[in-house]
Amino acid sequence: MNRFWRLPVNNFWRHTQGSPLTEVEDSISLRVLVLALVILGIVATDIAAETAFSPWALPLSVVGAIWSYYRRGYANITVKFCIAIGMLVALGAFFGRLVGELNDTRLGLAELLIQLQVLHSFDTPRRKNLGYSIVIGLILIGVAGTLSQTLAFAPILLLFLAIALPTLVLDYRSRLGLRQLKTKKEIFQKGKFSSLNIKFLILNFLLIVSLGLAIFAILPRFPGYQLRTFPVSSPIGVKGDFTGRNIINPGYVRRGNGNKGGSSGTGQNQTGQPEKVDQGFYYGFNSQINQNLRGEMTPKVVMRVRSQTEGFWRVLGFDRYTGKGWEVSRNEDVTTIKRSPWSYQIFLSPPWITGKTKEVVQTYTVVSDLPNLIPAMAYPKEIYFPTPIIAVDKEDGLRSPVELSEDLTYTVISEVPYRDRTLLGQAPTKYPQQIQKYYLQIPPEIAEKVRQRTEEIFANYNRERVAKSFKTLDSPYEKALYLAQYLKQNYSLPQNPLELPYLGEKEDLVEAFLFKHKGGYPDHFSTVLTVMLRSIGIPARLVAGFSAGEFNPFTGMYVVRNTDAYAMTEVYFPKYGWFAFDPIPNHPLIPPSIEDTQTFSVLRQLWHWVAGWLPSPVTGLLNNIFGTIFSWVTRAIAWFLALFSQGWFGVLTGLILTTTAAFLGWLSWGQWLEWRNRQWLNKLPAMEKLYQQMLQWTAEKGLGKHPAQTPLEYAKVSHQHHAPVIAQVIDEICQAYVGWRYGGHPPDLKRLRQRWESLKKDFKSRKLVKNIE
């Protein structure tokens, strides 16, 4: 037994327990700042991911930091063994969670990192141990940045930077072995301690933030999702047998229709009288919609979308017109698709189209409860969804077995076709039997009347075409385009949401729109366009969804509200598929879609041109010139930055130079823009130049033309905002421009210029200003 106690292992044990470590970190300031960085990283993760790590991780981290400081001079072998065991347990739990989080593991990794940091905080005797904690705090901030979808992360990021700067200073001093900083008890012991240069830290903080914002502003925006790993929520179990036939709309359920998910969506109460629309949910997301409803929704954010391009987030389509609304006639005929238990990926049937397409990835995060209809761009080919099964209806709509609840995240990959007007104009007009069967249906009571009105519109156009040499409407695409534009220009929206009377029992919506009310609500325009196209043999259907929403450049997300939901028309073109047209006033005629864009394409093309054509001596000369310029610029920047380290006089000098340079740059930029504008105007035809000058002048006076407005729409609106004399001149110029641009009718430029110059002179002399007042 005595020999056992003489073993070297036992001597090592007693040595490690009794001997203090040599390289310990005694700086309380550094330890407190490192702890603050870790706490901020945990809080940032909670804010970005809406998790609850802070209630247990923060107090344990504080306790661990205090324990580690007081035990910094001991080996703490028992504690190290316990920490190692705890880390192995945390790692095992992480691998267990991977089974349920096959796709997006960011949150699981963040949780593992927080657990490891909490355990690690009980054993940080040396500076390099604190360095590990600094790195963990930085990683947590980075994870929070990838998870964040709002600007709530910005204050945390700035606070992290403000704490990180003095932390790095103290860490660097510790590496060099410099003396500690002052504390309250030792502040009067001069010669032994030093203090941080607060002014230096503030200037560096402002400089880093300014430089970061400048880099962010000029950084090229590459398309997202370079890696094929997409965000998806945790798996959701499905009870019962999902058929996909029922649509669960919380708005209809909350009104007490009783049939959960099976509401017809007619919006009628027990007495058969029409109701108002739900204030929170769009009425059109159901198997049947009643467009005889009245009212408006209260705006609220419903989802955030990260997409490679702006688009229309399509929800569902309708094929049968009922006279006062729409319904999905084949609602019982849906296809269910199951995914593999090892992946979130669900493959969908590819579209049968021959045109050029582009893959677009979108990630949707639901902010407020939505129906079990899955928004996606047109022609989805893959979806990463948390449920084991989804359904696809005959109108290419996606359905979930559960409602889209708050915080649900999923990703869709769509194969979106390019919109080539030339190819679509040449598309054949021989439609498949299935298309004719479902997308040419019109109630017989109004079919002939609507067809005659549609033909009358085209006949009037043809008469104008002969007189003014307009382009011929010889294809379904051109007809759909013109008819949508005609509805936008010749029919109006009501000023009051309850202005239009309810339709009678035997009244038809399209008939009342065209012949009685001369207008209607936004979705009525799409219904009328769809039925009018059907009346002349062009297959069309109504599609409901969300517009792109408001883009936030700081988060890269499209913020979508419930008021962004509306319906528009989709027209079928053989070989090319369905394409949307938007006849609603103040909306773009063609919804946003994909475009051919490349980052820095102009500079890249210029570089290839220079490299391919210039001889090597000239290339060498250019290299020397640009090298000299770069050297001078570098020296100037270094001299300018050195001013801020020369006391208050240097800082003041630097600020004066910065302000002067900014003012001269702003002045030069304005003059350059004005010169470019003059050059651009001089290259235009005379009528186009006068029209553009008029638009620029009116924009300066506070009424610019919206890109979605036509010249005639803009002229009509100008009568409501300008004096009659001004509006009359604007109207004459717009009329002359439309006749010249689209009809080839020569304008009376001399008279128009005289009218325009006289108007500007009178306005400048304040004659018209008094009339306006």
Side-chain angles (χ1 to χ4, degrees):
M1 191 69 178
N2 292 334
R3 281 182 295 178
F4 172 76
W5 287 106
R6 296 191 186 98
L7 288 176
V9 174
N10 187 59
N11 293 334
F12 173 77
W13 177 269
R14 288 184 295 170
H15 174 75
T16 54
Q17 287 290 338
S19 301
L21 297 174
T22 56
E23 297 179 3
V24 296
E25 181 57 62
D26 295 321
S27 174
I28 298 178
S29 302
L30 178 58
R31 290 179 176 274
V32 170
L33 290 175
V34 171
L35 177 62
L37 289 180
V38 173
I39 289 175
L40 275 179
I42 298 173
V43 172
T45 304
D46 278 349
I47 293 176
E50 298 182 358
T51 52
F53 299 134
S54 300
W56 64 268
L58 297 189
L60 286 179
S61 296
V62 174
V63 172
I66 296 174
W67 162 268
S68 182
Y69 174 73
Y70 283 106
R71 298 288 299 179
R72 65 188 184 282
Y74 299 90
N76 301 317
I77 300 298
T78 304
V79 175
K80 284 182 170 61
F81 271 109
C82 293
I83 292 174
I85 295 172
M87 288 183 174
L88 291 175
V89 172
L91 186 61
F94 167 73
F95 284 119
R97 287 194 301 272
L98 281 183
V99 178
E101 299 176 357
L102 301 175
N103 218 44
D104 189 4
T105 59
R106 293 175 297 173
L107 197 55
L109 288 170
E111 184 176 359
L112 173 63
L113 204 58
I114 291 173
Q115 294 170 348
L116 297 182
Q117 168 56 32
V118 170
L119 293 171
H120 173 67
S121 65
F122 284 86
D123 184 39
T124 55
R126 291 179 283 186
R127 178 195 51 74
K128 69 176 184 178
N129 301 118
L130 297 175
Y132 299 150
S133 297
I134 295 175
V135 173
I136 290 176
L138 182 61
I139 294 175
L140 290 176
I141 283 288
V143 172
T146 63
L147 294 172
S148 176
Q149 297 181 354
T150 65
L151 288 179
F153 174 71
I156 298 294
L157 182 62
L158 294 177
L159 186 58
F160 185 88
L161 175 61
I163 298 176
L165 289 177
T167 303
L168 294 176
V169 172
L170 294 180
D171 180 75
Y172 187 66
R173 292 176 60 86
S174 178
R175 291 172 183 270
L176 297 179
L178 301 178
R179 54 193 176 187
Q180 301 180 34
L181 298 178
K182 297 177 182 178
T183 61
K184 289 184 178 180
K185 295 181 180 180
E186 300 158 334
I187 194 170
F188 299 107
Q189 298 181 9
K190 297 181 179 180
K192 295 184 179 180
F193 301 93
S194 58
S195 60
L196 285 173
N197 189 339
I198 303 299
K199 296 179 182 178
F200 174 77
L201 293 177
I202 293 176
L203 288 176
N204 274 272
F205 175 83
L206 297 176
L207 180 62
I208 292 173
V209 171
S210 302
L211 185 61
L213 291 175
I215 293 175
F216 176 81
I218 64 175
L219 196 67
R221 301 297 194 267
F222 294 100
Y225 303 106
Q226 302 299 322
L227 301 177
R228 306 298 290 187
T229 301
F230 304 117
V232 183
S233 298
S234 300
I236 300 174
V238 178
K239 297 181 181 180
D241 186 18
F242 172 64
T243 63
R245 298 171 183 171
N246 289 337
I247 295 178
I248 309 170
N249 192 323
Y252 293 128
V253 172
R254 206 171 48 236
R255 283 204 300 265
N257 289 346
N259 183 13
K260 183 178 182 181
S263 168
S264 66
T266 59
Q268 294 181 345
N269 56 27
Q270 296 178 354
T271 63
Q273 297 298 322
E275 294 182 351
K276 294 182 179 180
V277 298
D278 187 275
Q279 292 186 351
F281 294 87
Y282 178 61
Y283 77 102
F285 295 156
N286 215 320
S287 58
Q288 297 180 4
I289 61 173
N290 178 16
Q291 294 184 304
N292 198 22
L293 300 176
R294 300 293 183 266
E296 57 184 352
M297 292 182 291
T298 302
K300 67 175 181 179
V301 177
V302 294
M303 63 182 182
R304 300 187 184 94
V305 184
R306 185 184 301 277
S307 175
Q308 292 174 299
T309 186
E310 182 181 6
F312 179 75
W313 320 127
R314 191 182 186 277
V315 176
L316 81 167
F318 301 91
D319 63 332
R320 184 186 296 278
Y321 174 62
T322 63
K324 293 183 177 62
W326 292 83
E327 67 178 7
V328 182
S329 66
R330 294 172 286 175
N331 190 56
E332 302 295 319
D333 189 5
V334 297
T335 303
T336 56
I337 305 176
K338 294 183 178 180
R339 64 171 171 85
S340 166
W342 306 105
S343 173
Y344 286 116
Q345 188 178 31
I346 300 176
F347 291 97
L348 306 173
S349 299
W352 294 97
I353 55 178
T354 59
K356 182 182 177 183
T357 61
K358 180 179 180 180
E359 182 181 276
V360 179
V361 183
Q362 322 114 58
T363 294
Y364 301 81
T365 299
V366 179
V367 178
S368 180
D369 291 347
L370 290 173
N372 66 321
L373 303 169
I374 304 174
M377 285 190 74
Y379 296 105
K381 67 174 184 178
E382 298 175 33
I383 180 172
Y384 295 76
F385 204 75
T387 61
I389 186 174
I390 66 168
V392 183
D393 61 30
K394 293 300 181 181
E395 309 305 326
D396 305 318
L398 306 179
R399 303 184 182 185
S400 164
V402 296
E403 296 179 24
L404 305 188
S405 56
E406 185 178 355
D407 296 331
L408 183 142
T409 300
Y410 65 94
T411 300
V412 178
I413 303 178
S414 299
E415 198 68 32
V416 182
Y418 283 85
R419 192 181 191 115
D420 190 319
R421 182 171 180 174
T422 302
L423 292 179
L424 294 178
Q426 299 170 356
T429 57
K430 186 178 181 180
Y431 302 106
Q433 184 177 359
Q434 282 291 101
I435 295 294
Q436 298 183 44
K437 179 179 179 180
Y438 292 102
Y439 304 110
L440 293 176
Q441 170 267 336
I442 306 177
E445 297 81 9
I446 67 167
E448 184 61 24
K449 195 172 184 180
V450 174
R451 185 191 64 79
Q452 290 179 0
R453 176 58 180 147
T454 307
E455 296 290 357
E456 179 184 343
I457 292 173
F458 289 130
N460 292 336
Y461 173 85
N462 290 331
R463 283 194 293 269
E464 294 180 1
R465 178 183 65 82
V466 173
K468 301 181 179 181
S469 301
F470 286 168
K471 186 177 180 180
T472 305
L473 297 178
D474 55 358
S475 69
Y477 186 87
E478 296 299 331
K479 291 180 180 179
L481 203 63
Y482 176 77
L483 198 56
Q485 185 66 37
Y486 182 88
L487 292 175
K488 290 167 68 76
Q489 293 181 348
N490 294 276
Y491 294 86
S492 60
L493 292 166
Q495 298 296 327
N496 190 322
L498 300 176
E499 180 179 329
L500 288 181
Y502 289 105
L503 297 174
E505 183 178 351
K506 296 183 179 180
E507 278 191 289
D508 184 273
L509 185 149
V510 174
E511 186 178 14
F513 182 100
L514 290 174
F515 307 106
K516 182 179 179 181
H517 299 146
K518 300 297 182 180
Y521 296 112
D523 287 356
H524 294 177
F525 282 79
S526 302
T527 292
V528 172
L529 175 62
T530 306
V531 174
M532 293 181 78
L533 289 173
R534 288 183 173 190
S535 70
I536 57 174
I538 299 177
R541 66 185 177 187
L542 193 80
V543 58
F546 295 96
S547 65
E550 182 182 359
F551 182 71
N552 188 331
F554 292 97
T555 62
M557 310 285 288
Y558 293 93
V559 181
V560 183
R561 294 172 172 80
N562 56 346
T563 51
D564 292 324
Y566 68 99
M568 61 181 176
T569 302
E570 281 188 343
V571 180
Y572 180 76
F573 298 93
K575 298 197 306 180
Y576 300 107
W578 295 90
F579 286 85
F581 297 83
D582 191 343
I584 301 174
N586 300 323
H587 281 206
L589 183 60
I590 297 174
S593 187
I594 55 177
E595 297 177 355
D596 281 320
T597 57
Q598 288 184 343
T599 307
F600 291 149
S601 59
V602 176
L603 293 179
R604 189 179 296 110
Q605 293 173 4
L606 178 62
W607 167 252
H608 289 319
W609 183 82
V610 172
W613 292 95
L614 288 181
S616 55
V618 176
T619 304
L621 177 62
L622 291 177
N623 288 334
N624 292 332
I625 293 175
F626 287 117
T628 304
I629 295 174
F630 180 79
S631 176
W632 280 101
V633 170
T634 303
R635 292 179 184 179
I637 294 175
W639 173 81
F640 176 75
L641 295 178
L643 290 175
F644 292 92
S645 61
Q646 298 177 5
W648 288 109
F649 178 79
V651 173
L652 183 61
T653 304
L655 292 177
I656 292 174
L657 291 176
T658 303
T659 305
T660 304
F663 173 76
L664 294 176
W666 170 80
L667 192 62
S668 302
W669 176 257
Q671 294 296 322
W672 182 71
L673 289 179
E674 186 177 350
W675 176 82
R676 279 194 60 189
N677 184 60
R678 288 197 302 267
Q679 295 295 319
W680 173 68
L681 289 174
N682 291 334
K683 294 179 181 179
L684 298 176
M687 185 65 239
E688 177 79 11
K689 180 179 179 181
L690 179 60
Y691 174 73
Q692 293 296 338
Q693 286 176 330
M694 181 271 293
L695 292 182
Q696 293 177 4
W697 184 83
T698 54
E700 293 175 356
K701 300 302 178 283
L703 183 64
K705 176 182 174 295
H706 192 276
Q709 287 180 314
T710 64
L712 298 182
E713 285 179 335
Y714 179 69
K716 184 178 179 181
V717 173
S718 66
H719 286 277
Q720 304 174 7
H721 298 273
H722 286 301
V725 178
I726 301 178
Q728 181 64 30
V729 176
I730 294 175
D731 188 83
E732 290 180 9
I733 294 177
C734 289
Q735 292 285 351
Y737 173 78
V738 170
W740 167 81
R741 179 68 176 83
Y742 300 101
H745 189 71
D748 188 356
L749 283 172
K750 183 177 180 181
R751 188 183 67 85
L752 290 175
R753 286 190 180 280
Q754 290 176 351
R755 294 270 288 158
W756 176 243
E757 295 298 333
S758 176
L759 171 64
K760 290 195 298 181
K761 186 182 298 184
D762 291 343
F763 193 94
K764 191 174 182 180
S765 62
R766 300 292 181 176
K767 292 180 180 179
L768 293 178
V769 175
K770 294 180 180 179
N771 295 333
I772 296 174
E773 294 175 352

